[in-house]
Amino acid sequence: MNCAPNASHSPIFLLLGFSRAGVPHSFLFLLFLFIYLTTILGNVTLVLLISWDSRLHSPMYYLLRGLSMIDLGLSSVTLPQLLVHLASDSPAIPAARCLTQFFFFYAFGVTDTLVIAVMALDRYVAICDPLHYALVMNRQICARLLVLSWAVSIVHTMLHVGLILPLCWAGDAGGNVKLPHFFCDHRPLLRASCSDTHSNELAIFLEGGFLMLDPCSLIILSYARIGVTILRLQSAAGHRRAVSTCGSHLTMVGFLYGTIVWVYFQPASQNSHNQDMVASVMYTAITPLANPFVYSLRNKDVKGALHRLLSQGRVDS
């Protein structure tokens, strides 16, 4: 696809998402630095706890460790660059680096949604068919499901990167293209393009929608069966245990899928830039931050492992 004389396939993008926020950049820098460091601390702690404590060497925690590692990647794709831009007041990013960020953001983000769906399947087998849990959800099968999630995510991401590469962007006199966002996301890139983006929009709604439909259906069906099974339990203790093991996961499912649908599956005319920004911050910064705390604070096994680790540290010292 040939570009117009004033357009280019590889302009310099200016990420101006927070330039109109009316909030001092120093405050935003400290806020996002705190969020990023806390995200790293929480997820790294969860990964180390699950790896260290033999009581957490079960399929559920194997998947949770994988989710924490994905969240580390997801937050590291966007937040360090945002911090650099806030500190330097220079929001420029070359097209090659912009598309690289787009690729890794999508790869981590889609894998995140698929692993969340696999975790719903794990809870379904654990609660509805506990006698076959060790056979159906062993470590080898969990590893294959994680690899499959990554493979599907990378193929999906390469499709959308391939559709973006031919697009053209018309810059200002200096050749810069302004994006009202804080990272290189799908919607802002398409809105700023001077090319025909109907095929990109169609791919988002059809291929992307189909990719969302499968894990969503798996989650809904799994929890429908789990709900029926819980209602049939006779003991109150069984009710509480089943609900506690699913509550954390359901919280993050609603949070994650709600923000994704808000950002990517509404018609562009119904989304203001500010609404997109808020939802994107929730998805890229708050969700990776919340995951380790939601799963650990409501989980006796993880809290017990942390207590044992701290106790051992005091004894060793």
Side-chain angles (χ1 to χ4, degrees):
M1 181 186 295
N2 294 323
C3 295
N6 64 333
S8 170
H9 289 300
S10 55
I12 300 295
F13 292 102
L14 300 179
L15 301 176
L16 303 176
F18 288 106
S19 63
R20 304 170 185 173
V23 180
H25 280 194
S26 57
F27 173 78
L28 291 174
F29 177 84
L30 292 174
L31 174 64
F32 282 106
L33 179 63
F34 173 77
I35 290 174
Y36 182 57
L37 293 179
T38 307
T39 300
I40 297 296
L41 177 63
N43 283 287
V44 168
T45 301
L46 195 55
V47 168
L48 294 177
L49 273 179
I50 294 172
S51 302
W52 170 78
D53 197 306
S54 59
R55 295 176 180 84
L56 301 181
H57 291 176
S58 66
M60 180 179 75
Y61 295 110
Y62 183 80
L63 294 171
L64 182 55
R65 182 176 64 179
L67 183 67
S68 289
M69 295 173 71
I70 293 166
D71 284 337
L72 285 170
L74 183 62
S75 60
S76 296
V77 167
T78 56
L79 293 187
Q81 179 186 267
L82 172 60
L83 292 171
V84 170
H85 288 173
L86 290 173
S88 64
D89 287 325
S90 176
I93 178 172
R97 187 142 51 97
C98 183
L99 289 178
T100 301
Q101 184 187 54
F102 175 86
F103 175 86
F104 283 104
F105 170 74
Y106 251 68
F108 282 114
V110 174
T111 307
D112 200 36
T113 63
L114 296 176
V115 172
I116 286 281
V118 173
M119 293 176 72
L121 177 64
D122 172 80
R123 292 299 82 208
Y124 160 71
V125 177
I127 294 173
C128 300
D129 194 10
L131 296 179
H132 296 96
Y133 179 68
L135 177 64
V136 175
M137 293 299 294
N138 58 56
R139 192 159 180 166
Q140 289 75 22
I141 291 178
C142 288
R144 291 172 186 170
L145 289 171
L146 286 176
V147 170
L148 179 62
S149 298
W150 272 108
V152 171
S153 173
I154 290 174
V155 170
H156 166 82
T157 302
M158 290 178 67
L159 168 67
H160 288 279
V161 170
L163 289 172
I164 280 183
L165 283 174
L167 298 182
C168 301
W169 290 271
D172 55 20
N176 300 320
V177 176
K178 297 178 181 179
L179 297 181
H181 211 50
F182 65 95
F183 69 97
C184 294
D185 200 5
H186 217 156
R187 287 290 193 188
L189 285 170
L190 296 184
R191 287 171 179 159
S193 175
C194 58
S195 302
D196 183 2
T197 60
H198 283 94
S199 58
N200 302 75
E201 297 283 355
L202 194 62
I204 291 175
F205 278 96
L206 294 183
E207 188 272 342
F210 180 77
L211 186 64
M212 283 284 292
L213 183 62
D214 282 350
C216 280
S217 299
L218 179 60
I219 291 170
I220 292 171
L221 291 174
S222 296
Y223 275 103
R225 292 294 303 274
I226 288 172
V228 172
T229 302
I230 290 176
L231 291 175
R232 291 175 179 172
L233 293 176
Q234 299 297 323
S235 67
H239 275 242
R240 286 194 300 271
R241 181 169 179 78
V243 170
S244 66
T245 59
C246 298
S248 301
H249 184 252
L250 274 176
T251 300
M252 298 316 302
V253 165
F255 200 74
L256 177 66
Y257 280 88
T259 53
I260 290 174
V261 170
W262 178 269
V263 174
Y264 298 106
F265 293 95
Q266 289 193 82
S269 60
Q270 294 184 13
N271 262 341
S272 72
H273 295 312
N274 290 337
Q275 289 172 329
D276 278 356
M277 284 274 294
V278 171
S280 294
V281 167
M282 299 293 282
Y283 175 50
T284 60
I286 305 303
T287 299
L289 169 68
N291 268 344
F293 297 100
V294 169
Y295 282 109
S296 60
L297 293 177
R298 299 188 59 172
N299 190 300
K300 293 181 180 179
D301 295 333
V302 175
K303 287 191 289 187
L306 181 59
H307 178 73
R308 288 189 292 272
L309 179 62
L310 296 176
S311 299
Q312 180 176 326
R314 286 195 293 268
V315 170
D316 292 341
S317 61

